């Protein structure tokens, strides 16, 4: 780390502390001029771009995802906190994948898996939109699959 006073390239770390947000603060001393300074390192957690079905890319939109899930959960006993938690888990998973882009299917499948645990009616509603189930037979197949699984 370059010294901000004399621009010397070498400094020595005299203290390291971690903060609650996963950052690392280091107290350093320049090997040339002896001045002390601090640096702060923080991991950059980037959410990958979402590749939509038509091939276009968009930023992961947490609010949009919450809106979609809320609609599926309307008048169902699913708390706002549970929806927030699900979306938070999805976001954390997307970041941990460590890829620049992921298919929107990956996100949709995670929502489906989460809703299946939370509320089966909400799951079916979401499936109708997400899997574009546009006739009773395919909706029934999905319900059968849910009942079997
Ligand atoms: Zn220096």
């Amino acid at each position: 780390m370059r010294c901000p006073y004399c621009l010397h390239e070498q400094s020595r770390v005299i203290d390291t502390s971690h903060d609650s947000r996963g950052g690392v603060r280091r107290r350093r001393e320049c090997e040339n001029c002896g001045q002390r300074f601090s640096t702060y390192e923080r991991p950059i957690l980037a959410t990958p771009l979402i590749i939509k079905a038509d091939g276009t890319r968009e930023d992961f939109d947490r609010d949009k995802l919450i809106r979609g899930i809320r609609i599926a959960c309307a008048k169902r006993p699913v708390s706002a906190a549970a929806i927030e938690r699900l979306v938070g888990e999805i976001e954390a998973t997307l970041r941990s994948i460590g890829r620049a882009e992921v298919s929107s299917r990956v996100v949709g499948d995670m929502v489906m898996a989460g809703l299946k645990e939370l509320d089966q009616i909400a799951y079916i509603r979401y499936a109708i939109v997400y899997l574009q189930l546009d006739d009773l037979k395919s909706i029934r197949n999905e319900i059968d699959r849910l009942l079997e699984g």
Side-chain angles (χ1 to χ4, degrees), residues 90 104-115 126 130-131:
I90 290 169
S104 59
R105 280 209 65 98
V106 173
V107 180
D109 289 351
M110 284 194 281
V111 173
M112 297 270 287
L115 284 179
Y126 198 86
Y130 170 64
L131 299 176

Side-chain angles (χ1 to χ4, degrees), residues 2-11 29-37:
R2 190 188 285 261
C3 169
Y5 300 98
C6 73
L7 307 182
H8 185 69
E9 293 285 355
Q10 304 297 324
S11 61
E29 187 179 86
C30 174
E31 291 184 352
N32 180 50
C33 72
Q35 287 274 10
R36 292 185 172 188
F37 57 98

